[in-house]
């Protein structure tokens, strides 16, 4: 080869190496992990045995934790479905991604998301199940989503081609089947990212027919603060989410007054005759014995609590079993080693604490969410992490795991550095902002949580501050705001709150704190 030819050849080789190096993800291209994110709805960590729950066994969620990591301090930025999902997708707080509440927000799908990043980076992407973001999914090669909240029996799906599809069966089984079908037919030449959005365990809790009666022999203990008087906590005293007053005998607990009323219920009217016969055969005798009891006052409230627990946990049993099916699928197809599996709920939920069901609050039960992750290539089996992680960390974690650069606009932090190096403690402070001001009457609020304290600013429905010392008062019953001895810590937390708000550029909160916005509404 002449010198000149050699030089040209070398230049070509060098330039192709450069191009390859640019395209090549930071991890090994061949080894880019597959990703399965399973997002449930309203699943309380208090009911998961991996988190020490004695209420029921959840062997499959526990398995993810045992083979990977259990995050004990996982939180959400805004404890309600649509906003949490929008933050999971974008890695940004609600004020940045625009989806602040379920009442009026529509997700702007034109914005960036982890799905788009992965898709552009060569992944095949899919979202199957509950979506609840009001606009069509973008960034997915395939999607098939429940319209709005979806139904437990014989769910309808919105399909990519604009059609609707109804699938007979119980929603958690059906979503798992549809996810498996997609996995079977995916493009095997690419790594994949599949999000499975379960409807369970959202209100109103309807178990699969095979799980009816599963907890009938159990008498569930009342949480210590079940009979909360909400002393010194105005917002808590004004909510509409108590088991006593808000939970309905018919709609929620299936103790319908008349057959007509039951037939009009959307969950019941869509059952097949065979499904309906099984469901009726279970609930009708419960109703007959309840009617004989003629309960009132606390006895009635406690009966409702027991029914709530039974229905909720039976619904969760199917969720856990189906998570197991997805794990088995990975095993059977040789995908276990190179697939990241993350299980989380869109937020936490009250199982009678403070007398409540539902979510929304910055208080621990709803602010915290269960989150477990398996990633054999990086995470040591049986890891327990008490770092502060958030729903908005999912996007940067997945982008980084795929070897792609994390866009600068992402506010969440990748969880990978903390998993690689225990000394990396991540964030010290969590920032939260809840906006909705309708159903369940929870006042909008924002605040911060440090390792020990929580400072909360309520606005709009209630004007006021709350301060908790989580060390001495883990159940957040004793509002210390304005109390003697708390001046210094309040000033320090107030400064930190301001710092978070400025750093995260939450203009609404900034104006409220600066007193530039009248937030009071007439009640
Ligand atoms: C529905 C429920 C509420 C629940 C919201 C938000 N009412 O409105 O209890 O808080 O969804 O849930 S229901 O009568 O429809 O059951 S979320 O999961 O979408 O955040
Ligand atoms: Ca939810």
């Amino acid at each position: 080869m002449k010198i000149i030819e050699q030089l040209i050849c070398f230049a070509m080789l060098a330039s192709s190496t450069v191009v390859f190096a640019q395209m090549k993800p930071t991890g090994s291209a061949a080894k880019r992990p597959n990703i399965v994110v399973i997002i449930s709805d309203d699943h309380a960590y208090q009911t998961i045995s991996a988190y020490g729950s004695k209420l029921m066994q959840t062997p499959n969620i526990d398995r993810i934790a045992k083979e990977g990591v259990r995050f004990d301090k996982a939180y959400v930025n805004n404890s309600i479905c649509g906003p949490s999902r929008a933050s999971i997708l974008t890695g940004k707080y609600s004020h940045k991604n625009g989806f602040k509440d379920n009442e009026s927000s529509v997700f702007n799908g034109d914005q960036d998301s982890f799905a788009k990043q992965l898709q552009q980076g060569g992944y095949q992407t899919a979202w199957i199940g509950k979506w609840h973001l009001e606009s069509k999914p973008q960034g997915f090669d395939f999607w098939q989503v429940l319209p709005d909240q979806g139904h437990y029996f014989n769910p309808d799906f919105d399909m990519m081609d604009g059609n609707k599809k109804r699938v007979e069966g119980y929603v958690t089984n059906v979503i798992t089947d549809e996810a498996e079908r997609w996995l079977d037919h995916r493009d095997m030449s690419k790594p994949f990212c599949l999000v499975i959005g379960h409807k369970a365990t959202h209100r109103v809790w309807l178990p699969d027919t095979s799980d009816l009666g599963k907890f009938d022999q159990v008498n569930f203990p009342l949480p210590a603060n079940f009979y909360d008087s909400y002393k010194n906590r105005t917002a808590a005293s004004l909510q509409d989410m108590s088991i006593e007053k808000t939970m309905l005998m018919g709609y929620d607990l299936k103790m319908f007054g008349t057959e007509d009323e039951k037939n009009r219920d959307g969950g019941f009217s869509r059952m097949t005759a065979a499904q309906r016969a099984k469901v009726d055969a279970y609930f009708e005798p419960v109703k007959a014995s309840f009617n004989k009891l003629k309960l009132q006052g606390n006895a009635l409230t406690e009966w409702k609590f027991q029914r709530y627990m039974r229905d909720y946990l039976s619904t969760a049993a199917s969720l856990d079993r189906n998570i197991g099916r997805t794990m088995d699928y990975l095993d059977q197809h040789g995908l276990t080693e190179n697939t990241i599996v993350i299980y989380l709920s869109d937020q936490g939920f009250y199982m009678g604490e403070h007398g409540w069901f539902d979510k929304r609050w910055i208080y621990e039960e709803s602010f915290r969410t269960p989150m477990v992750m398996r990633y054999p290539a990086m995470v040591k089996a049986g890891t327990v992490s008490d770092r502060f992680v958030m729903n908005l960390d999912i996007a940067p974690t997945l982008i980084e795991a795929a070897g792609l650069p994390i866009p600068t606009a992402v506010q969440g932090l990748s969880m990978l550095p903390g998993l690689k190096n225990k000394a990396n403690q991540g964030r010290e402070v969590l920032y939260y902002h809840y906006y909705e001001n309708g159903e369940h009457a929870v006042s909008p609020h924002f605040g911060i949580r440090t390792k020990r304290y929580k400072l909360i600013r309520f606005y709009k429905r209630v004007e006021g501050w709350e301060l908790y010392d989580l060390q001495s008062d883990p159940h957040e019953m004793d509002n210390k705001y304005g109390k003697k001895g708390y001046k210094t810590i309040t000033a320090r937390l107030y400064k930190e709150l301001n710092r978070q708000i400025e750093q995260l550029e939450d203009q609404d909160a900034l104006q409220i704190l600066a007193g530039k916005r009248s937030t009071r509404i007439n009640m």
Side-chain angles (χ1 to χ4, degrees), residues 271-310:
M271 291 176 192
T272 63
Q275 291 163 344
R276 177 70 184 264
K278 285 184 186 157
V279 172
D280 281 351
Y282 174 71
F283 283 108
E284 286 308 304
V286 175
K287 193 172 97 182
S289 64
F290 168 74
N291 285 341
K292 276 194 206 131
L293 293 170
K294 308 242 175 297
L295 299 172
Q296 282 185 335
N298 287 355
L300 175 59
T301 309
E302 287 172 29
W303 187 93
K304 289 171 82 177
F305 169 74
Q306 295 298 334
R307 279 304 330 155
Y308 166 46
M309 296 300 278
R310 286 177 187 146

Side-chain angles (χ1 to χ4, degrees), residues 40-42 80-81 85 130 202 345-347 359:
S40 64
D41 202 336
D42 297 2
I80 186 154
C81 178
R85 271 150 227 262
K130 186 173 171 183
H202 196 273
S345 173
D346 57 356
Q347 32 30 231
K359 52 260 184 177

Side-chain angles (χ1 to χ4, degrees), residues 41-42 79-82 85 102 130 132 149 202-204 251-252 346-347 357-360 436 439-440:
D41 202 336
D42 297 2
S79 176
I80 186 154
C81 178
R85 271 150 227 262
N102 274 352
K130 186 173 171 183
H132 207 194
Q149 298 280 7
H202 196 273
R203 185 189 188 196
V204 288
Y251 180 68
D252 282 309
D346 57 356
Q347 32 30 231
F357 66 101
D358 212 73
K359 52 260 184 177
R360 300 161 192 274
E436 205 167 299
E439 192 180 7
H440 298 300

Side-chain angles (χ1 to χ4, degrees), residues 238 460-462 521-523:
L238 295 176
K460 255 189 194 164
R461 188 176 286 261
V462 169
I521 56 161
N522 295 326
M523 296 202 25

Side-chain angles (χ1 to χ4, degrees), residues 286-352:
V286 175
K287 193 172 97 182
S289 64
F290 168 74
N291 285 341
K292 276 194 206 131
L293 293 170
K294 308 242 175 297
L295 299 172
Q296 282 185 335
N298 287 355
L300 175 59
T301 309
E302 287 172 29
W303 187 93
K304 289 171 82 177
F305 169 74
Q306 295 298 334
R307 279 304 330 155
Y308 166 46
M309 296 300 278
R310 286 177 187 146
D311 289 352
Y312 182 102
L313 298 181
S314 305
T315 306
S318 163
L319 172 66
D320 184 71
R321 188 165 59 242
N322 277 285
I323 290 170
R325 284 183 58 206
T326 303
M327 303 287 282
D328 290 346
Y329 183 99
L330 299 177
D331 287 345
Q332 285 152 12
H333 292 79
L335 292 165
T336 304
E337 281 307 306
N338 197 34
T339 300
I340 296 176
V341 179
I342 299 180
Y343 170 71
L344 80 162
S345 173
D346 57 356
Q347 32 30 231
F349 210 68
Y350 291 90
M351 303 307 302

Side-chain angles (χ1 to χ4, degrees), residues 236-459:
S237 72
L238 295 176
Q239 50 55 50
D240 181 21
M241 59 164 71
S242 70
I243 291 171
E244 181 196 359
K245 298 196 179 106
T246 315
M247 190 175 276
L248 301 169
M249 288 306 298
Y251 180 68
D252 282 309
L253 300 178
K254 284 72 79 178
M255 302 293 111
F256 294 99
T258 63
E259 208 48 26
D260 248 20
E261 200 188 311
K262 183 164 42 167
N263 292 336
R264 279 197 306 272
D265 182 275
F268 279 72
S269 60
R270 58 191 299 117
M271 291 176 192
T272 63
Q275 291 163 344
R276 177 70 184 264
K278 285 184 186 157
V279 172
D280 281 351
Y282 174 71
F283 283 108
E284 286 308 304
V286 175
K287 193 172 97 182
S289 64
F290 168 74
N291 285 341
K292 276 194 206 131
L293 293 170
K294 308 242 175 297
L295 299 172
Q296 282 185 335
N298 287 355
L300 175 59
T301 309
E302 287 172 29
W303 187 93
K304 289 171 82 177
F305 169 74
Q306 295 298 334
R307 279 304 330 155
Y308 166 46
M309 296 300 278
R310 286 177 187 146
D311 289 352
Y312 182 102
L313 298 181
S314 305
T315 306
S318 163
L319 172 66
D320 184 71
R321 188 165 59 242
N322 277 285
I323 290 170
R325 284 183 58 206
T326 303
M327 303 287 282
D328 290 346
Y329 183 99
L330 299 177
D331 287 345
Q332 285 152 12
H333 292 79
L335 292 165
T336 304
E337 281 307 306
N338 197 34
T339 300
I340 296 176
V341 179
I342 299 180
Y343 170 71
L344 80 162
S345 173
D346 57 356
Q347 32 30 231
F349 210 68
Y350 291 90
M351 303 307 302
E353 300 87 356
H354 302 283
W356 296 338
F357 66 101
D358 212 73
K359 52 260 184 177
R360 300 161 192 274
W361 306 93
I362 190 177
Y363 304 139
E364 288 296 284
E365 292 83 353
S366 43
F367 185 17
R368 243 185 94 182
T369 198
M371 196 196 288
V372 291
M373 171 178 175
R374 186 179 73 179
Y375 185 10
M378 186 174 292
V379 181
K380 203 166 146 256
T383 304
V384 174
S385 168
D386 67 353
R387 288 161 52 91
F388 278 158
V389 294
M390 297 188 81
N391 54 347
L392 61 159
D393 296 346
I394 300 285
T397 301
L398 302 185
I399 294 169
E400 189 183 355
L404 300 164
I406 299 167
T408 49
V410 166
Q411 295 179 306
L413 302 172
S414 168
M415 303 187 291
L416 298 186
L419 289 169
K420 282 187 217 149
N421 171 13
K422 284 223 173 86
N424 179 326
Q425 272 303 305
R427 57 166 79 69
E428 291 288 317
V429 178
L430 298 161
Y431 179 65
Y432 181 86
H433 195 157
Y434 170 78
Y435 298 82
E436 205 167 299
N437 191 21
E439 192 180 7
H440 298 300
V442 171
S443 179
H445 57 286
F446 54 85
I448 51 165
R449 186 207 198 281
T450 65
K451 297 259 150 55
R452 177 163 175 187
Y453 294 99
K454 198 176 280 182
L455 181 69
I456 315 168
R457 169 69 150 97
F458 286 95
Y459 66 98

